[in-house]
Each structure stands twice: as C-alpha cells, then as structure tokens.
C-alpha cells in the first residue's frame, strides 16, 4: 500500500465508508471516525472487498 495512504491511517483490512463520491472531484471517506478527502488518483490505489 502506498506510503501516503498509510500516513492517512488507511492500512490493509481498514474499514472505509464512502461519504461523498461526486464526479468530478475528490472522494470524502470515513476511516476510524475521521473524515478524509482523497483524490481520485489515490482512491484508485485502494483495493475494496465487499461484505
């Protein structure tokens, strides 16, 4: 996982909830109770598994 994502608190097996995903523009996600703004380039580096 890219270092920048780890610096934001996003690690393997982290639970992430998408709050806002408007196109165009960045995504707003919730990670461990904190809201983060992630650019689309960074978001494409996150692998997601469904429940």
């Amino acid at each position: 996982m890219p270092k920048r994502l780890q610096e934001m608190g996003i690690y393997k097996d982290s639970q992430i909830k998408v709050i806002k995903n408007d196109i165009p523009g960045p995504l707003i996600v919730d990670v461990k109770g904190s809201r983060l703004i992630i650019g689309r380039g960074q978001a494409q580096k996150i692998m997601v598994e469904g429940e």
Side-chain angles (χ1 to χ4, degrees):
M1 178 156 295
K3 184 178 178 183
R4 177 73 179 126
L5 293 175
Q6 292 177 354
E7 289 172 352
M8 292 190 296
I10 301 173
Y11 296 92
K12 182 179 178 183
D13 297 329
S14 292
Q15 292 186 3
I16 300 171
K17 180 179 178 183
V18 177
I19 304 296
K20 187 174 180 182
N21 183 11
D22 290 343
I23 297 175
L27 282 81
I28 299 176
V29 297
D30 181 283
V31 179
K32 300 178 185 174
S34 297
R35 290 193 177 188
L36 303 173
I37 298 174
I38 301 176
R40 296 207 172 265
Q42 287 292 324
Q44 290 176 348
K45 296 176 183 170
I46 299 172
M47 305 241 348
V48 178
E49 284 185 15
E51 291 183 329

